[in-house]
Amino acid sequence: MEALRQDDPRRFGRFTALARFDEGASAVRYVARDIASGETALITAARPELAAVPVFSRRFQAEARTAERLAGGWVAPPLDPGDTAETPADEAEPLWTAAGYVPALPLAEAIGIAGPLPERALRILGAGIAEILSRVHAAGSVLQGLAPGTVLLAADGPRLTAFGPLGAAASAEARPGGQLSVRLGYLTPEQIEGKEVSAASDLFVLGLLLAYAATGTTPFTEGPAEEATRRIAEDEPELDAVPEELRELIANCLAKDPDQRPTAGTVAAELALEGAAGLARGGWLPQPLAAAVADQEARVLALEVPEEGEATAEAGEADAPPAPEDARPAAPRTLREPEGVREAPEPEGVNEAPEPVDARPVGAPPVTASGAPAAVETPAAPEPEDARPVDAPALRKPADAAAPSGDTGPGNGDIGEDRGTTRFLNTGPRPPQNDRPTTQLALPHELTAPRAPDALPAAPPAQPTAPLALPAAPQQPGHTHGGPAPYPAAALPAGPAGPGGPGGGPMVSLPLPPAPAPAPDPATSRRTLLTIAAAAVGGLIVGGGSVAALGSGSTAEATDDKPAPKPRRTLPGQAPEPRWIYAHPASESSPLTTALWQDELLVVTSESQASAVDLGTGKRLWQRADGAKGQAALAAGADLVFVASPTEFLWLSPKNGKVVHRARYTDAFEDLPGLTVGRLAGSSGPVIWFTGSHTVVEKAPKPKKGKKKGKDKEVVEAYFFAYDIVQRKELWRTSVPAGRDPGTPAYRVVAERSADVLVRQDAASLTAAEVKKAKGKGSVRSFDQKTGKLLWTKQYGAASLEAATTGDEDGTLYAAVGQDLQAFEADSTKPLWRVEGSEDSWFGTPLIAGPLIHTTERSRLVGAVERESGRLVWRRSTEVPGTGPAPSLTLSGSEKTLIAADAVQVTVFAAADGERLWKFQDIGSADPKGETVRASYRALAFGETVVVQRDRSFYAFPVA
């Protein structure tokens, strides 16, 4: 942080600039304050010479929109800019955005203050960034915004401040003809080979970032500079100084083959099972860093609004030289797109690699067909003195190139290493001899020794471009952490000009990728499904025909032995090893229903048959064609399996599936010929409830004398039944209104009480007349337990026809009302309490568990509230990107574990406090040409096991 320069803008919409926060290749950031409200903001203002380039403007806006989509968590939310000043017609409109200010240190500066981060801080840092990456990757995008200068360390966790290549650029230059050249501060193996970047590229850079944070140096330092790209492409990283517990994970991130790198979700789960925020509770920064962050916060609060016309403003530092003429911004504006900008196409060639020669920065080598830089010697163009960074010689410096400003002796900011070693990552074999900063977004050369909590480093008095150097503290030189200065993530050395200016070094002049696409529908294709599945945060175990557990090459086999003891998880957040895996035969039709019988059998029905799988071994025991198209199996006493088929009730032997009893509907309900039985509405012990209908002919009335006889007409009559499946007899039936064609209404029992059962009808089965009569509100019917008589029909508040509803034995109903969950007295409809839901979401069907109600929302939030008071106990996200149907909930046999299943994954929580335990995803067929899997997950729990189903695949996991 430094004083405002004479020509820095003083106003950004409603915000008044207080100080420069830092600057990068493409933008300058300011700390600003809304005088009226006292709100402090971090303003990112694009360099005016770049803002005038249409392709830069579009990309800047695209990255700003990405930041808006990611707002929350470890991304500061955007702020309302307020009214903006008009720009003169002859001047380019400046670009700027405003985000909430959070006191924080850049990662590079933090390492300079306190040295490499301890293991716990590394875990929080990596998990936080991986959580952001997972959200980006879920939309099918690549971030390309990681570098030590774009990652900040705040008191409660890390923050990311760049959301694309512009924010993380080592240099950016406007070229003639509207061309833009951007050089990233790092390369990945695939970029060196000229291949497209992908989500795995972000993981490689994350590995570099974590290695730097863990050691203060680069894993690819040693060796000749001219072989820098070869080392990244071929050599193994030097990770001996990385904490042993994290070494394997970081090495996996740095794998040469992108397909061998873990997903962002896996990294997040392995680093912090409970999430970065959970692990950071109670503080996470070493004391010197915590003190530095607190000090920065105090200094910002103490900043006063500078008077107009001041050459400089007090920010705890000496006066700074003015900016060069061409860096003066016009009156800034907020980020508001001109009409058509969003849709405007990129100039031809912008998205193609390599770039035209005239689009490359001066001094940057051309790009070969393979994507690697070629050795071309181009003299560097001069740049204003105050824009030049510390001397950072190119990897292959032309003999006739002009010497960079400043000499090469001690005190000029040069590290002073043996020229035979690499400068590829802005590092060297010896500590820097001073702390002169650079203007690069890539890591500055300075490093300072660890200090006492009350002693903070300061920027040199005459240098105006120190990134976030804390003012007014004693200066102390020296990097004493055993090796080279810190590096930007695989950063290449800067040229002799500043950001935005030409530079040497083996950087590829990269075309900008297109703006991030909106999140795809998870069910559109197998490729899309895999993208979203891979990106969700948490330790995910991926399965197909067989399960491939991360961190384990073995597969659990189904055997006849008893289940093995619960295996020890080797990776935090990873699902435990399944007790067994069962694959429904591909030669048979897909499962229609699944159910557990007496904690002994998994009964699966399909279009062709019913079959049973041993819950102890995962092996199929029998199949029976009589049970084709059957509904969920139930226990009919201790020794029979009850299945309702479309034409009859069946009682099967659990040993071999043989039909012991059958009751055809034509025989069991003789007075209802042609009876069609609907789906089961519910069950309790031996009693099942279901609806059914049949068609009768209603005779036309006898015509009056001289009139023609009318036609007979067919009428659907519907009934609600109670049936005892142990005694195999009907208990009662009651006439109910017929539903939508073909006439059988679909009921669901939402609560069973001693005197009655409460029932809801699915909105899809209501007739048009019933929908009109309801006026958008759903209703609940009460039927007498003994006689089936309809007792009453009631509506509850504004609960809609589709509102998720359930009830308890005490007479309380819980219904989704708008975005909230509300409790009512069932008999009086009196409201009892309300729980607010998340914005633009609604609640799914809650699950009652003792004194708690577990909630589920379309926004993928799962939680628990007290039944009595509605007090929120906990609420957690499944971390599945986007929105969709609310996850379905299941409790383990002990009710200690809550399982949430949706179309993307299964997420397992501790029921008491909501701690995320593990996640599971199954990608279906392991064959790349196999059928696309679109089925949602289901979970069925018994004892200490949960059976997870997705289409034909079943996994039995141990749970508490």
Side-chain angles (χ1 to χ4, degrees):
M1 194 165 61
E2 63 168 274
L4 291 173
R5 298 177 183 176
Q6 180 178 359
D7 295 317
D8 276 333
R10 295 301 193 269
R11 297 284 298 181
F12 294 92
R14 65 186 175 99
F15 298 102
T16 301
L18 303 177
R20 280 190 167 219
F21 186 79
D22 64 1
E23 65 176 299
S26 62
V28 179
R29 294 193 291 190
Y30 300 90
V31 176
R33 184 177 298 142
D34 180 351
I35 305 304
S37 67
E39 187 174 28
T40 305
L42 187 65
I43 304 294
T44 301
R47 295 185 180 277
E49 66 272 21
L50 297 176
V53 180
V55 64
F56 178 94
S57 175
R58 287 194 293 274
R59 185 67 216 186
F60 186 92
Q61 292 165 351
E63 293 186 14
R65 290 192 295 271
T66 298
E68 290 176 5
R69 287 196 296 271
L70 295 174
W74 309 123
V75 176
L79 300 179
D80 176 20
D83 296 331
T84 58
E86 291 188 6
T87 304
D90 59 342
E91 296 183 15
E93 275 195 78
L95 295 168
W96 61 273
T97 61
Y101 164 74
V102 177
L105 302 173
L107 176 59
E109 182 178 343
I111 299 300
I113 294 173
L117 299 181
E119 182 190 339
R120 179 169 173 269
L122 286 170
R123 288 184 177 276
I124 294 166
L125 169 66
I129 300 303
E131 288 170 8
I132 299 172
L133 290 179
S134 71
R135 295 163 61 195
V136 174
H137 297 168
S141 302
V142 183
L143 183 69
Q144 290 189 279
L146 294 183
T150 68
V151 175
L152 306 181
L153 308 187
D156 59 346
R159 295 293 191 280
L160 184 63
T161 62
F163 306 94
L166 291 188
S171 74
E173 182 185 17
R175 300 293 292 163
Q179 298 275 355
L180 176 68
S181 175
V182 171
R183 295 189 302 132
L184 297 179
Y186 55 82
L187 290 175
T188 63
E190 52 269 31
Q191 286 173 301
I192 292 171
E193 294 176 4
K195 297 179 180 178
E196 238 180 273
V197 295
S198 65
S201 304
D202 283 338
L203 270 298
F204 186 89
V205 182
L206 177 59
L208 288 169
L209 203 70
L210 289 176
Y212 163 62
T215 65
T217 187
T218 164
F220 296 104
T221 299
E222 297 304 324
E226 60 271 17
E227 296 184 4
T229 54
R230 182 198 60 75
R231 287 199 299 276
I232 278 201
E234 299 176 7
D235 289 1
E236 292 303 314
E238 293 290 337
L239 299 176
D240 291 346
V242 173
E244 185 177 356
E245 295 80 1
L246 303 180
R247 199 173 300 156
E248 182 179 357
L249 176 64
I250 294 176
N252 290 340
C253 290
L254 296 175
K256 307 303 180 189
D257 182 356
D259 293 338
Q260 299 302 313
R261 297 170 200 157
T263 64
T266 299
V267 172
E270 183 168 353
L271 290 172
L273 176 59
E274 63 273 60
L279 188 57
R281 287 194 190 101
W284 71 292
L285 294 175
Q287 181 57 34
L289 300 185
V293 170
D295 183 82
Q296 182 195 121
E297 182 178 20
R299 292 175 190 277
V300 169
L301 289 174
L303 287 173
E304 297 181 356
V305 178
E307 296 180 6
E308 292 292 337
E310 268 189 325
T312 60
E314 284 297 319
E317 292 191 17
D319 293 346
E325 284 296 322
D326 64 357
R328 294 177 187 170
R333 66 169 177 84
T334 186
L335 177 57
R336 294 190 182 180
E337 293 183 51
E339 283 188 26
V341 163
R342 187 182 298 265
E343 292 355 42
E346 302 283 349
E348 187 175 350
V350 166
N351 288 323
E352 299 174 1
E355 288 189 356
V357 172
D358 63 357
R360 298 188 192 110
V362 179
V367 181
T368 66
S370 67
V376 173
E377 300 182 351
T378 306
E383 192 71 357
E385 286 293 325
D386 63 352
R388 293 177 184 169
V390 176
D391 174 23
L395 225 134
R396 299 185 68 178
K397 182 176 177 182
D400 58 348
S405 65
D407 38 344
T408 59
N412 74 336
D414 190 85
I415 291 177
E417 78 277 21
D418 180 350
R419 295 300 181 186
T421 61
T422 181
R423 288 298 302 279
F424 171 57
L425 297 173
N426 281 1
T427 66
R430 296 194 297 275
Q433 298 176 0
N434 72 4
D435 61 351
R436 183 178 177 191
T438 98
T439 54
Q440 295 278 59
L441 254 185
L443 188 76
H445 288 245
E446 83 276 13
L447 275 182
T448 52
R451 324 173 167 267
D454 58 345
L456 301 175
Q463 180 66 25
T465 56
L468 204 60
L470 296 175
Q475 176 183 347
Q476 295 201 16
H479 163 64
T480 60
H481 301 294
Y487 69 106
L492 298 170
M507 283 186 172
V508 178
S509 186
L510 297 174
L512 292 176
D521 183 348
T524 54
S525 68
R526 184 169 186 269
R527 180 183 295 271
T528 302
L529 174 66
L530 293 177
T531 299
I532 294 178
V537 174
L540 303 181
I541 160 176
V542 179
S546 62
V547 66
L550 296 173
S552 172
S554 59
T555 300
E557 299 292 342
T559 67
D560 291 325
D561 299 331
K562 293 182 178 180
K566 185 187 299 186
R568 180 181 178 183
R569 296 207 304 270
T570 58
L571 181 65
Q574 174 188 319
E577 194 73 15
R579 299 185 190 275
W580 49 259
I581 301 166
Y582 168 70
H584 190 71
S587 58
E588 301 176 11
S589 54
S590 294
L592 295 176
T593 68
T594 54
L596 303 181
W597 182 85
Q598 298 284 55
D599 295 356
E600 295 179 17
L601 298 179
L602 171 69
V603 181
V604 181
T605 66
S606 68
E607 292 282 348
S608 58
Q609 62 190 9
S611 58
V613 176
D614 189 324
L615 286 175
T617 65
K619 289 198 169 188
R620 180 186 273 197
L621 297 179
W622 50 260
Q623 58 263 11
R624 178 65 56 177
D626 302 76
K629 301 180 182 180
Q631 296 193 52
L634 298 170
D639 53 1
L640 291 175
V641 179
F642 172 83
V643 175
S645 82
T647 59
E648 60 188 344
F649 290 151
L650 299 171
W651 288 262
L652 309 177
S653 166
K655 296 180 179 180
N656 53 25
K658 180 181 178 181
V659 177
V660 178
H661 304 288
R662 71 172 74 235
R664 292 184 174 88
Y665 302 146
T666 53
D667 299 327
F669 307 98
E670 293 179 351
D671 56 333
L672 300 175
L675 177 68
T676 299
V677 173
R679 75 172 191 216
L680 298 185
S683 65
S684 177
V687 178
I688 61 171
W689 296 280
F690 61 93
T691 54
S693 65
H694 78 135
T695 302
V696 298
V697 177
E698 193 174 84
K699 296 287 186 181
K702 185 177 180 180
K704 294 181 180 179
K705 187 175 181 180
K707 297 291 183 180
K708 187 178 180 180
K709 183 180 179 181
K711 292 183 178 181
D712 297 341
K713 61 180 180 180
E714 293 184 341
V715 177
V716 175
E717 294 180 345
Y719 301 90
F720 184 44
F721 297 84
Y723 190 93
D724 190 313
I725 61 175
V726 172
Q727 300 183 49
R728 303 195 296 283
K729 69 175 185 179
E730 178 183 345
L731 299 179
W732 50 256
R733 79 177 73 155
T734 188
S735 181
V736 295
R740 187 184 298 269
D741 188 61
T744 304
Y747 281 9
R748 184 174 65 87
V749 174
V750 297
E752 180 194 7
R753 304 190 291 183
S754 58
D756 62 353
V757 288
L758 305 184
V759 175
R760 284 262 297 181
Q761 183 173 350
D762 285 359
S765 70
L766 292 170
T767 64
E770 288 174 320
V771 172
K772 183 177 180 180
K773 182 179 178 181
K775 297 181 178 180
K777 293 184 179 182
S779 59
V780 173
R781 296 182 175 102
S782 168
F783 293 92
D784 187 276
Q785 278 270 30
K786 294 182 178 179
T787 65
K789 178 183 177 182
L790 177 65
L791 302 178
W792 48 255
T793 301
K794 298 181 184 293
Q795 294 179 326
Y796 295 85
S800 68
L801 292 167
E802 298 85 8
T805 307
T806 194
D808 60 30
E809 69 281 359
D810 298 327
T812 304
L813 276 180
Y814 310 95
V817 181
Q819 294 182 175
D820 303 332
L821 180 69
Q822 195 163 355
F824 301 88
E825 284 185 354
D827 294 314
S828 67
T829 73
K830 175 184 175 182
L832 299 176
W833 50 255
R834 179 190 297 266
V835 174
E836 291 186 358
S838 52
E839 188 176 356
D840 298 327
S841 183
W842 57 81
F843 283 89
T845 304
L847 179 64
I848 297 172
L852 299 178
I853 303 170
H854 291 292
T855 62
T856 175
E857 300 181 54
R858 180 175 177 266
S859 57
R860 313 298 176 93
L861 293 175
V862 175
V865 298
E866 292 180 349
R867 282 172 64 181
E868 184 67 26
S869 64
R871 184 183 71 85
L872 183 65
V873 178
W874 60 265
R875 181 180 284 170
R876 300 280 187 275
S877 172
T878 63
E879 297 179 327
V880 170
T883 58
S888 60
L889 302 180
T890 305
L891 274 171
S892 65
S894 65
E895 298 192 352
K896 294 180 180 179
T897 304
L898 180 68
I899 302 100
D902 57 28
V904 179
Q905 71 183 34
V906 171
T907 312
V908 178
F909 300 87
D913 59 11
E915 178 189 357
R916 276 186 294 270
L917 302 177
W918 49 268
K919 301 181 182 183
F920 172 79
Q921 292 179 338
D922 169 75
I923 63 172
S925 173
D927 180 1
K929 297 182 180 179
E931 61 180 319
T932 299
V933 179
R934 294 186 173 90
S936 294
Y937 290 89
R938 291 193 63 206
L940 304 106
F942 68 97
E944 295 184 345
T945 302
V946 59
V947 176
V948 172
Q949 177 204 358
R950 192 174 198 215
D951 195 30
R952 298 176 181 274
S953 300
F954 296 80
Y955 304 87
F957 293 107
V959 292

